[in-house]
């Protein structure tokens, strides 16, 4: 009997030991602070990530959502917290009920342990350069390692003037997507433009694509496809990768 109990315990240890957590490592390579944000929220007591810091998170086993960063955050004299980009409107560091104010570079994930789908999306514009680099693992539905996706180039240099997002002093802080800035069904892929056949790249999305060819730049953009990775040790997410 004692042996049987021991075997059960060992089996239990083996089973739980075989379950590896999904780890996200955030590295802030920017020379400014960024404030991590997620919708739906992922527990983060102190979202501020200073220049040169590395933060390690265990993700829920099942999580579908977006991660982005806020920039140039501060509190005013009534202790109200707000940010020049990616603001959550909560008035506190804790986002509570996002989605963010656009423009933001969105990192979209679908976590279903041990698989993770991931993309960099400019469908709501761009505020900070980013890279998602799976560490190990294998590509689901393909062969070889899990590909890197990123948007590293300097969008501020190419942001078309109707899409420029200024702060209250008129300085560039980000670049809107054509849909968010111009609200045209053609860019948003709504109404008669919905569906992959009718939703086509446009001059604005093509400008993004030239700089960031691994990011999705308009609603039906599937080039590259949204990758799915299985069994990676971690997902390295770098802001302002060099
Ligand atoms: C701080 O910002 C909030 C939200 O915009 C505003 O309601 C409040 O009046 C501001 N306080 C000061 C002192 O400017
Ligand atoms: C991921 O980040 C860790 C910690 O910074 C680093 O040691 C590792 O080499 C990185 N892996 C990849 C594939 O970038």
């Amino acid at each position: 009997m004692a042996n049987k109990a021991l075997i059960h315990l060992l089996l239990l240890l083996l089973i739980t030991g075989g379950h590896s957590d999904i780890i996200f490592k955030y590295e802030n390579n920017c020379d400014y602070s960024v404030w991590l944000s997620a919708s739906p929220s992922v527990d983060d007591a102190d979202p501020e990530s200073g220049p040169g810091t590395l933060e390690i998170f265990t993700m829920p086993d099942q999580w579908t959502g977006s991660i982005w960063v806020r920039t140039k955050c501060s509190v005013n004299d009534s202790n109200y917290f707000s940010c020049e980009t990616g603001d959550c409107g909560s008035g506190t560091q804790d986002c509570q009920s996002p989605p963010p104010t656009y423009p933001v570079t969105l990192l979209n994930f679908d976590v279903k342990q041990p698989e993770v789908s991931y993309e960099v999306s400019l469908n709501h514009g761009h505020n900070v350069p980013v890279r998602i680099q799976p560490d190990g693992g294998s590509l689901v539905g393909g062969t070889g390692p899990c590909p890197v996706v990123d948007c590293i180039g300097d969008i501020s240099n190419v942001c078309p003037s109707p899409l420029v997002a200024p702060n209250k002093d008129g300085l560039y802080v980000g670049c809107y997507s054509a849909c968010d800035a111009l609200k045209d069904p053609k860019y948003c892929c709504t109404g008669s433009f919905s569906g992959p056949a009718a939703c086509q790249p446009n001059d604005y999305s093509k400008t993004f694509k030239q700089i960031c060819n691994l990011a999705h730049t308009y609603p039906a953009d599937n080039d590259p496809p949204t990758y799915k990775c299985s069994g990676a040790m971690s997902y390295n997410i770098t802001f302002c990768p060099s």
Side-chain angles (χ1 to χ4, degrees), residues 149-168:
V149 291
D150 61 26
C151 179
I152 299 182
D154 191 354
I155 293 284
S156 70
N157 280 336
V158 297
C159 184
S161 52
L163 306 190
V164 167
N167 67 7
K168 61 179 177 355

Side-chain angles (χ1 to χ4, degrees), residues 127-217:
N127 63 339
V128 167
V130 292
R131 180 177 63 211
I132 305 172
Q133 178 157 36
D135 195 350
S138 53
L139 180 63
V140 176
T143 50
C146 303
V148 169
V149 291
D150 61 26
C151 179
I152 299 182
D154 191 354
I155 293 284
S156 70
N157 280 336
V158 297
C159 184
S161 52
L163 306 190
V164 167
N167 67 7
K168 61 179 177 355
D169 301 319
L171 297 172
Y172 176 96
V173 291
C175 189
Y176 289 110
S177 69
C179 170
D180 291 334
L182 309 172
K183 312 263 191 281
D184 186 327
K186 182 169 66 182
Y187 304 136
C188 300
C189 294
T190 51
S192 60
F193 296 95
S194 63
C199 180
Q200 292 294 320
N202 55 73
D203 287 346
Y204 298 109
S205 73
K206 286 176 188 165
T207 301
F208 287 170
K209 202 71 173 181
Q210 273 168 14
I211 302 272
C212 290
N213 65 337
L214 298 176
H216 290 152
T217 57

Side-chain angles (χ1 to χ4, degrees), residues 25 27 54 56 131 133-136 233-238:
K25 294 183 178 173
E27 191 173 355
L54 176 70
I56 299 175
R131 180 177 63 211
Q133 178 157 36
D135 195 350
M233 283 193 308
S234 67
Y235 292 81
N236 288 5
I237 297 167
T238 310

